[in-house]
Amino acid sequence: MKPIIQFVFHLVTPLILGKTVGKLSTRSAPRQYKKLKQPPFAPPRKIFAPMWTFLYLTMGLAHALVNRKGDRKASRLFKVHLLINYTWSFLFFRLRKRQLAVVNSIMIWVTMYAVLLKFFKVSRLAGIILLSYTLWTTFAAYLTLGSWYLNRAK
């Protein structure tokens, strides 16, 4: 595969897969989100689609930069992290297993932190690019935990 095609592939893959997973797992998400008690600082639901578009593109960019350096371990770790990330929507919205979604959020954060450290070692720029996603995963874990706690009787 030509380097530019490979770069673009790694750039857009998280976004395409994220959008696909989102469509398959969150059809009732707007209704569910509206019905759930939310923790303080929960954003309006309309924020999530543009935010995830931005985050998936930045994740793809960071991965493309790391992939260019040829670090297969970092690339595999990132792919494992993405798989864990993609399961959150199924757990929270599709299966309504919010307690499991809390556990998944912790797994997302732990693997994100490992990816961040690895990416920083391989490419400082890739690590810097992932900082916004790292902040978001922290906030998302808070939202998941808060939502589960406030709605645990349901």
Side-chain angles (χ1 to χ4, degrees):
M1 197 181 306
K2 290 185 178 182
I4 189 70
I5 294 171
Q6 192 173 25
F7 188 86
V8 171
F9 174 79
H10 284 93
L11 175 71
V12 299
T13 298
L15 177 63
I16 292 168
L17 291 174
K19 294 271 184 194
T20 303
V21 167
K23 293 241 185 259
L24 294 173
S25 64
T26 62
R27 290 185 186 156
S28 66
R31 287 187 308 280
Q32 286 185 52
Y33 192 79
K34 194 182 279 188
K35 289 180 182 178
L36 292 171
K37 292 178 194 167
Q38 296 296 329
F41 310 111
R45 69 172 181 80
K46 292 180 182 179
I47 295 294
F48 290 98
M51 187 62 172
W52 276 109
T53 299
F54 168 76
L55 291 170
Y56 282 135
L57 285 173
T58 58
M59 292 162 66
L61 177 58
H63 184 230
L65 292 171
V66 165
N67 190 64
R68 255 171 134 179
K69 301 269 185 174
D71 192 314
R72 291 181 180 209
K73 281 186 178 180
S75 186
R76 276 193 300 269
L77 181 59
F78 177 75
K79 291 171 186 174
V80 167
H81 168 76
L82 269 183
L83 182 62
I84 295 167
N85 172 303
Y86 293 147
T87 61
W88 184 91
S89 295
F90 281 103
L91 292 171
F92 193 88
F93 288 114
R94 186 68 168 226
L95 301 176
R96 298 177 190 198
K97 300 289 185 185
R98 299 205 168 88
Q99 193 168 12
L100 285 176
V102 170
V103 173
N104 181 264
S105 289
I106 294 166
M107 291 171 58
I108 289 169
W109 197 89
V110 168
T111 58
M112 179 63 247
Y113 188 71
V115 168
L116 179 68
L117 292 177
K118 189 72 170 161
F119 275 29
F120 257 115
K121 287 180 184 176
V122 176
S123 165
R124 183 176 168 93
L125 180 57
I128 290 169
I129 289 168
L130 281 184
L131 287 175
S132 60
Y133 176 60
T134 303
L135 291 172
W136 181 260
T137 58
T138 303
F139 182 59
Y142 155 77
L143 291 174
T144 303
L145 178 62
S147 181
W148 165 75
Y149 182 79
L150 293 172
N151 298 282
R152 65 191 183 282
K154 290 183 179 184

